[in-house]
Amino acid sequence: MNNLASERPAWVEIDLDQLRTNFDIIRRDMPAGLGFVSVVKDEAYGHGMVQVARTALQFGATAIALATVDEALQLRQNQVYAPILVFGERTEEELEICVTQNFTCFINDRRKAEKLSRLAKSAGKRMPIHVEVDTGLSRYGVKWSEAPAVIVSIAGKKHLHIEGVMSHFAMSDELDKTFALQQLERFRQVMADLQELGIEFKYRHMCNTGGFLDLPQAHFDLVRIGILPLGVYPSQVCRRIRGLLPIMTVKTKIAAITEIEAGDYIGYGMRYQAAERRRIAVLPVGYGDGFPRVRNQGEVLICDKRAPVVGGNAMDATMVDVTDIPQAQVWNEVVLMGKQGDEEIDVHEIARLQGTVSYHALTGWRSRLPRIYLGEAQS
Ligand SMILES: *Cc1c(COP(=O)(O)O)cnc(C)c1O
C-alpha cells in the first residue's frame, strides 16, 4: 500500500488521527496493569498493517501479531522492530526464518519444540515462544487436557523459553457467554496445573476484542485486539466504549449520469425496469473492488443523501438512482461506507448486504482501491 494519491476516482481513506484517538480511549478503558497485543493481520483488516502497528506501539503495545511470516517480514522491512507474534502453525522453512528474524512462534507440540530448539541452538539463540492451548475452538494448539504435560516437556528445551501461554475464544462477543466461560474454566485449570508444576512464564492471554470488552475475568496479562482500534465492534451486542469511531471511509465519484425512460432496464440480468423516467448515476466501482454483489439492494451517499442501488452491479460499475437528488453532478464525491453529512453507511450495513460479519466486510475492500492516509504521518 502506498501513500500516493491515486488518479483513480475510487479509494479508501484511513483517518490516522481517529486511530490515535481510538487507541487512547482503549488504553484509558483498560484496567491498570493490563497489556495489549495489536493484531494487524491481513493489512490490519484492510486498513494498513504498518500504519496501525506503528500507532499501536506509540500507545504501548507489547507486541504486534500477524498471521503469516510474509506479513511479519514486510513489517520488519518497514522498520518495525517490536516483538512480532505470528499466529498459527509454521512450516520447517518458516521456523528457520523466524529464528533469523526473531519472530515469536507458537509451539504446541514436542516435535516442533525440538525442531525450533535445534535451529535456535545453531543460531546461538534462545527463542521466546508462546504455547496455544485449545480450550474448545478446535483449531490450533494443544488440547487443554494434554497441555500441562506437553508444556512441561517444551519447558525443558534449553534453547527455547516459554514467554506466554494463550488460548482463543470461539464466541466471546455474543450475549450467551456459556461456552466462553467453559473455555475460560479449562484455561484456568491449565494455568493452575502449570503453577503446581512450577512452570513460570510472563504472559497469559486469552481475549480478542469481544473478550476484552465483555469478559474482564479473562483478561489475564495481555489482550489481543485487532478490530477495536479500527473503531469497529465485533458484534452488535458487545459493550460499547464512548468515543470510538471507525477510521475507514470508502469513497468514489460519479463517473456518468444517464436518464432512462419508463420501460428501460438497468444493468446485467435486466434486474430493474423503470416505471417512469429516472436519473441514474454510474459509479466506477463494483464487486471487483469489494462492494457487495447486489441487485436492487444497498445504498450509497451522494450530496449527504442516500441513493439506492438499482439493477445488478458489475465488477467495475454500480448504478444508483439520483432522481431525488437533482443537484448530483458528474464527479461528485460518493461515500460507499462511512459518513457524509449526517448520514452514515456503517460496516454492519455493508456486512448485512453480503450476508457476513464486520471482519469480512472490512477485509473485503480490495487492494485495487488505494489507501489514502489522513492525519499526521507517523515517523
Ligand atoms: C485475529 C485474532 C485476534 C484479534 O481479534 P479481534 O476480534 O479482531 O480483536 C486475536 N487473537 C487471535 C488468535 C486472532 O487470530
Side-chain angles (χ1 to χ4, degrees):
M1 299 204 188
N2 60 50
N3 274 302
L4 300 174
S6 155
E7 298 304 319
R8 189 177 172 208
W11 67 99
V12 175
E13 285 178 5
I14 304 295
D15 183 345
L16 294 176
D17 288 335
Q18 185 64 45
L19 177 64
R20 273 190 289 276
T21 301
N22 289 348
F23 269 117
D24 189 40
I25 290 171
I26 292 166
R27 258 340 245 144
R28 288 166 199 270
D29 184 82
M30 283 182 179
L34 181 62
F36 75 99
V37 173
S38 171
V39 182
V40 297
K41 60 198 181 197
D42 198 8
E43 286 292 352
Y45 308 177
H47 294 63
M49 160 180 78
V50 174
Q51 288 78 4
V52 177
R54 284 184 183 153
T55 308
L57 291 166
Q58 289 179 345
F59 284 88
T62 299
I64 303 298
L66 296 160
T68 73
V69 169
D70 284 350
E71 291 173 332
L73 286 168
Q74 213 184 314
L75 199 56
R76 282 278 192 266
Q77 278 158 13
N78 281 278
Q79 284 83 46
V80 176
Y81 300 114
I84 295 179
L85 307 181
V86 191
F87 289 150
E89 289 286 340
R90 304 274 68 85
T91 65
E92 295 206 350
E93 293 75 17
E94 288 178 325
L95 284 181
E96 289 192 41
I97 299 174
C98 290
V99 171
T100 53
Q101 299 288 325
N102 296 316
F103 298 150
T104 306
C105 301
F106 290 79
I107 297 293
N108 311 319
D109 64 76
R110 296 181 176 90
R111 253 200 61 222
K112 201 157 268 180
E114 180 57 39
K115 174 77 192 168
L116 185 66
S117 183
R118 257 187 288 122
L119 289 169
K121 183 180 180 186
S122 47
K125 288 182 179 178
R126 189 156 177 262
M127 290 292 291
I129 58 154
H130 288 223
V131 182
E132 177 156 2
V133 179
D134 177 8
T135 54
L137 183 61
S138 301
R139 201 169 76 175
Y140 299 118
V142 51
K143 282 230 178 332
W144 78 92
S145 49
E146 296 154 19
V150 171
I151 292 172
V152 165
S153 75
I154 294 174
K157 302 270 174 248
K158 251 190 16 217
H159 293 274
L160 303 184
H161 103 263
I162 300 177
E163 182 184 63
V165 178
M166 58 81 88
S167 190
H168 195 37
F169 285 118
M171 191 170 92
S172 60
D173 52 11
E174 294 299 325
L175 290 177
D176 184 351
K177 305 288 196 229
T178 313
F179 191 63
L181 292 173
Q182 190 179 343
Q183 287 189 270
L184 173 59
E185 211 31 61
R186 290 167 175 171
F187 191 65
R188 281 215 181 105
Q189 186 58 54
V190 173
M191 294 299 112
D193 291 350
L194 290 176
Q195 193 168 22
E196 206 154 290
L197 290 161
I199 307 286
E200 287 179 0
F201 49 89
K202 203 166 167 190
Y203 301 124
R204 302 161 297 169
H205 49 113
M206 194 167 187
C207 287
N208 53 1
T209 291
F212 164 62
L213 290 171
D214 286 356
L215 291 161
Q217 65 270 50
H219 280 175
F220 295 102
D221 306 304
L222 293 175
V223 291
R224 308 182 299 269
I225 51 173
I227 202 165
L228 196 62
L230 310 173
V232 176
Y233 292 94
S235 80
Q236 304 276 39
V237 295
C238 59
R239 180 170 70 91
R240 279 2 196 198
I241 304 179
R242 267 178 78 89
L244 284 191
L245 290 174
I247 67 169
M248 178 189 280
T249 305
V250 185
K251 292 183 174 177
T252 185
K253 290 181 175 179
I254 297 174
I257 290 184
T258 177
E259 310 261 340
I260 61 168
E261 304 297 333
D264 286 350
Y265 293 95
I266 300 173
Y268 291 137
M270 304 162 71
R271 295 286 174 165
Y272 178 95
Q273 188 176 27
E276 72 269 288
R277 192 180 168 85
R278 308 300 296 174
R279 188 163 178 258
I280 305 300
V282 183
L283 312 180
V285 293
Y287 58 81
D289 298 292
F291 194 83
R293 165 79 169 94
V294 285
R295 294 166 174 147
N296 303 314
Q297 269 178 305
E299 294 176 324
V300 304
L301 305 179
I302 297 174
C303 302
D304 299 349
K305 292 192 163 62
R306 284 179 171 259
V309 174
V310 282
N313 66 339
M315 201 181 294
D316 318 296
T318 299
M319 282 69 85
V320 298
D321 189 330
V322 291
T323 311
D324 298 332
I325 313 175
Q327 68 272 38
Q329 299 295 329
V330 167
W331 304 125
N332 276 167
E333 198 166 282
V334 178
V335 168
L336 305 174
M337 189 181 85
K339 274 191 163 174
Q340 196 185 57
D342 294 332
E343 283 288 353
E344 179 172 12
I345 292 174
D346 71 9
V347 64
H348 299 288
E349 186 173 339
I350 299 287
R352 265 195 305 279
L353 284 176
Q354 289 168 317
T356 189
V357 293
S358 51
Y359 295 84
H360 189 197
L362 287 178
T363 58
W365 295 108
R366 304 271 303 273
S367 59
R368 116 171 156 170
L369 293 175
R371 267 58 174 173
I372 308 293
Y373 293 95
L374 309 179
E376 232 173 283
Q378 300 297 288
S379 55

